[in-house]
Amino acid sequence: VFTRREGSAADMYPGLNRRTVLQRISAALIFPLLIVHINTFAWMRACREKGYFILVGLIIMAQIGFFAAVITHVSVSFTNAFVTLGLLSSPEKKAAIDRVVYVIGAVLFLASVGVVVNGQIRMILMG
């Protein structure tokens, strides 16, 4: 599903194809990174106790990747869902909503990374 073309040449609609590729890659990354996200606290505690601080850094990077994958997927899929449901037909409105969703997604990404990573680092440093 992730690698199949949808009928048109890849260079015919480069903007739309980039969005589709981002949507598929982010969808593929969400589930494995969700497993890391769910187990983060236990894994970080175990790594801290054993002194594996490099693994702690990798877990934090995976958390950042999880937030990026979820927010990217939602951002590129948001207006497509409205088009599919027949609630949005104007390309101009779609582009305007896309810009707003991207800005909101960027703010949510920065906030989630800042809060969660800060909390995780404090958890590791303070034991």
Side-chain angles (χ1 to χ4, degrees):
V1 172
F2 296 107
T3 59
R4 293 192 51 142
R5 288 186 32 213
E6 293 185 9
S8 59
D11 59 346
M12 198 167 182
Y13 304 103
L16 295 176
N17 286 330
R18 269 191 301 263
R19 285 177 60 125
T20 301
V21 168
L22 273 173
Q23 187 176 31
R24 289 178 178 179
I25 290 171
S26 62
L29 290 173
I30 287 172
F31 186 70
L33 291 172
L34 177 62
I35 294 169
V36 175
H37 177 71
I38 291 170
N39 294 300
T40 294
F41 183 75
W43 290 352
M44 287 182 80
R45 185 175 47 198
C47 288
R48 182 191 68 217
E49 290 169 0
K50 295 178 182 179
Y52 298 155
F53 293 105
I54 292 175
L55 287 177
V56 170
L58 291 174
I59 293 169
I60 290 172
M61 295 302 291
Q63 283 283 89
I64 293 170
F66 174 70
F67 297 139
V70 169
I71 291 171
T72 298
H73 189 74
V74 169
S75 295
V76 298
S77 302
F78 191 79
T79 53
N80 291 345
F82 284 116
V83 170
T84 301
L85 292 171
L87 301 173
L88 185 62
S89 60
S90 166
E92 294 81 19
K93 284 184 182 179
K94 183 179 185 305
I97 294 171
D98 277 339
R99 283 191 293 274
V100 171
V101 170
Y102 294 154
V103 169
I104 291 170
V107 169
L108 286 174
F109 174 75
L110 293 173
S112 60
V113 167
V115 170
V116 172
V117 171
N118 184 28
Q120 290 173 341
I121 291 171
R122 285 180 174 207
M123 178 183 74
I124 292 302
L125 293 178
M126 295 181 181

